[in-house]
């Protein structure tokens, strides 16, 4: 193996190595200090809960994944449209921005009771909370991408007789794709936050609900198993969108590795 | 026949900002090669914006092809100091961009794409970029990008080509090479060119008429016809008549400096 190959292998393996190291450390700490399971379960304990409750966990996780993805999809569609409006018109930009920042500053958990009154408990508030929490980064990034179009490029296009739609289609939209895909990675993780919050407060399905009921019986192993499952789903979805991003906007990093 | 005509044109940015250019009258004949030189900030780029209708004059009239300019002119070719190529398009796709926009071509672009591609390839070959069609702009050197940018400005056979310091960022050798490239393109099929530059040798070598502008607010200080015979070889730049012309222009610019 050459040095370069070895280096690449190390790069690939590094997240897994770190993970294994942290789990071992965790196990060791729990063992060394005799931490009781009902406070802070060791990884082996969590694994045990996973094996024991697998069907339930998978069922609830599927529900959470579903509400998250639906909320996220709504957020992307809505965020794209609003972002395009905000980014391509200075008037709308001025009008909408403060309002949106204000709205986004409200903790989304505060909306859940309202949503429950409107839609009852369960799936709908979870979807809507995921949507509410995750559309903001999409709008902001889309608007930024569009609004930072180089004036010279606009001049070139306009002097060819391009309409606003032409400029949007041929230049502004493709140019803001890196911003857009970057926002997807943020939005999908936020969407998980939203749906789990809502499930914790007002639902009888989903990982959030599962964790809440487990903690009320002091079954910390199950609570942590739920946390780990959410984390894993988050990482997987993030990686999916990171892959899509690399596929779609390789030109933005000029064909080299992202990061410098 | 006059293609471009300025009648006592003044222009200020904003409502009551200082004048960017003041009382300019000039006319550019069809297929004439005009160069505009002057100190930085004297309003050369502003002049270009007025010709192409990207900015309206505050006073006076601008005519293009006998008609008063109102709004962005369609089908003018433009190239700037930065090449402004789109990084998500290959070089050939970049060059073909105007054909997707200009009214005359856009409706047949899909149908006659292969012919247009041939046209683009031929033009790229003319400027020494054969084999780079499918490379991305960021895979080209600065000089190559600039060539591609000029190809993009010419592909739709505009009646007017506006060049704003297109060779400003290049080294002396590449610059002279590109002078010859523009000269050959122009010699083969004449079109009207307005070239903005800081380089007096460039102006005298390429142009039929050189305008010297004064420091802001920009006024036309001198109109100097260049009567060197065409076609001009690079060696002409080492002859006495050439040096005399450059020296004379240099003298005017020098006086602008002292005057301030
Ligand atoms: N968008 C703008 N808004 C306000 N003022 C402007 C704008 N563009 C240019 N100006 C002003 O107009 C004057 C002329 O600018 P212009 O860009 O035409 O100069 P220039 O001759 O092209 O300079 P350079 O050779 O450095 O490119 C300058 O004083 C500048 O400050
Ligand atoms: Mg300029």
């Amino acid at each position: 193996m050459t040095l370069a190959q070895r280096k690449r292998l190390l790069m690939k393996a590094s997240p897994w190595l770190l993970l294994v190291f942290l789990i071992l450390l965790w196990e060791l700490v729990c063992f060394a200090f005799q931490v009781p399971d009902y406070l802070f379960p060791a990884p082996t304990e969590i694994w045990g809960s996973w094996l024991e409750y697998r069907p339930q966990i998978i069922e609830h996780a599927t529900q959470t994944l579903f509400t998250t993805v639906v909320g996220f999809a709504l957020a992307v569609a809505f965020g794209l449209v609003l972002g395009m409006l905000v980014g391509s018109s200075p008037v709308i930009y001025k009008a909408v921005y403060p309002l949106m920042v204000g709205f986004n500053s409200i903790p989304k958990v505060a909306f859940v009771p309202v949503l429950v009154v409107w839609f009852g408990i369960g799936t709908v508030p979870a979807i809507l909370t995921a949507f509410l929490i995750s559309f903001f980064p999409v709008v902001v990034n889309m608007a930024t991408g569009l609004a930072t179009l180089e004036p010279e490029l606009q001049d070139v296009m306009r002097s060819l007789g391009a309409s606003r739609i032409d400029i949007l289609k041929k230049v502004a939209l493709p140019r803001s794709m890196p911003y857009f895909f970057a926002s997807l990675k943020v939005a999908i993780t936020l969407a998980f936050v939203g749906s789990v919050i809502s499930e914790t407060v007002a639902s009888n399905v989903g990982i959030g609900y599962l964790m809440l009921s487990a903690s009320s019986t002091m079954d910390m192993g199950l609570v942590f198993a739920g946390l780990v499952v959410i984390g894993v789903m988050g990482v997987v979805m993030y990686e999916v969108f990171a892959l899509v991003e690399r596929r779609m906007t390789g030109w933005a990093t000029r064909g080299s590795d992202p990061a410098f | 026949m006059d293609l471009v005509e300025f009648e006592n044109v003044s222009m200020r940015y904003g409502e009551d900002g200082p004048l960017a250019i003041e009382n300019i009258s000039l006319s550019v004949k069809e297929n004439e090669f005009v160069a505009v030189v002057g100190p930085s900030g004297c309003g050369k780029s502003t002049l270009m914006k007025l010709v192409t209708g990207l900015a309206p004059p505050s006073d006076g009239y601008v005519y293009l092809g006998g008609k008063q300019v109102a709004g962005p002119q369609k089908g003018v070719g433009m190239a700037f100091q930065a090449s402004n190529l789109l990084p998500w398009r290959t070089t050939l796709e970049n060059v073909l961009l105007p054909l997707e926009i200009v009214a005359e071509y856009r409706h047949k672009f899909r149908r006659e794409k292969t012919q247009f591609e041939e046209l683009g390839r031929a033009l790229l070959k003319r400027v020494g970029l054969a084999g780079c069609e499918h490379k991305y702009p960021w895979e080209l050197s600065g000089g190559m990008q600039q060539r591609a940018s000029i190809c993009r400005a010419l592909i739709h056979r505009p009646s007017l080509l506006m060049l704003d310091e297109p060779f400003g960022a290049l080294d002396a050798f590449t610059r002279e090479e590109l002078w010859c490239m523009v000269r050959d393109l122009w010699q083969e099929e004449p079109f009207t060119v307005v070239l903005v530059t800081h380089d007096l040798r460039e102006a005298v070598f390429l142009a039929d008429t050189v305008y010297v502008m004064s420091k802001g607010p920009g006024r036309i200080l001198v109109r100097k016809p260049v009567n060197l015979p065409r076609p001009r070889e690079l060696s002409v730049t080492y002859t006495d008549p050439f040096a005399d012309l450059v020296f004379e222009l240099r003298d005017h610019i020098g006086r602008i400096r002292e005057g301030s």
Side-chain angles (χ1 to χ4, degrees), chain A residues 170-185:
Chain A
K170 301 278 180 195
V171 186
L173 273 184
R175 205 194 80 101
S176 38
M177 280 304 107
Y179 294 85
F180 173 66
F181 284 110
S183 78
L184 292 192
K185 293 190 296 188

Side-chain angles (χ1 to χ4, degrees), chain B residues 12-29:
Chain B
R12 59 177 93 234
Y13 285 96
E15 286 287 285
D16 37 28
L19 282 174
I21 62 173
E22 186 179 4
N23 200 18
I24 286 191
S25 298
L26 57 82
S27 64
V28 180
K29 280 200 282 297

